[in-house]
Amino acid sequence: HPTVATLMVDMYTSSNNFAAADAMLKDMSFGFDEMLYRALLLMYYKTRDAERAVAVFRELQQRGCNVDTVMCNTMISFNIELERFKTAEVLYYEMSWFGIQPNEATYRMVAAMYQ
């Protein structure tokens, strides 16, 4: 059940047991829900695994889950922190494509990236 999986990912993430969370996810035979995707994003943020975070973010978008300005800003900021500027820029431009309105924080992050 996705809700149980979400709780387990949260538990593994809070205890920094990321390998156990990954192992559990590989063995899952059921679908993911939005809360599980968000828990995975947090886990990949904590492990500094931008590649996997972006992959989960893309899957969230493809499945029509609620992706908002805050989530986009978080992904942009995360990629800037890891000096993945091209990915941050692509994420910024994709906001418009997905109909998500950037806010002041978005504009500040993107402007600072170019300075």
Side-chain angles (χ1 to χ4, degrees), residues 29-65:
S29 60
F30 50 83
F32 286 32
D33 65 4
E34 188 172 335
M35 293 304 294
L36 181 54
Y37 282 115
R38 289 178 182 268
L40 289 172
L41 284 173
L42 176 61
M43 182 178 81
Y44 294 137
Y45 178 81
K46 284 184 137 188
T47 61
R48 315 306 282 165
D49 190 340
E51 301 265 334
R52 290 172 91 179
V54 170
V56 167
F57 183 72
R58 298 256 184 263
E59 196 165 332
L60 255 171
Q61 292 170 314
Q62 290 171 356
R63 291 181 180 265
C65 293

Side-chain angles (χ1 to χ4, degrees), residues 64-87:
C65 293
N66 183 29
V67 176
D68 58 12
T69 304
V70 173
M71 185 179 283
C72 290
N73 284 353
T74 301
M75 290 299 298
I76 291 168
S77 174
F78 177 44
N79 280 277
I80 290 171
E81 283 176 34
L82 296 178
E83 298 182 0
R84 294 170 42 100
F85 302 116
K86 186 66 178 172
T87 302

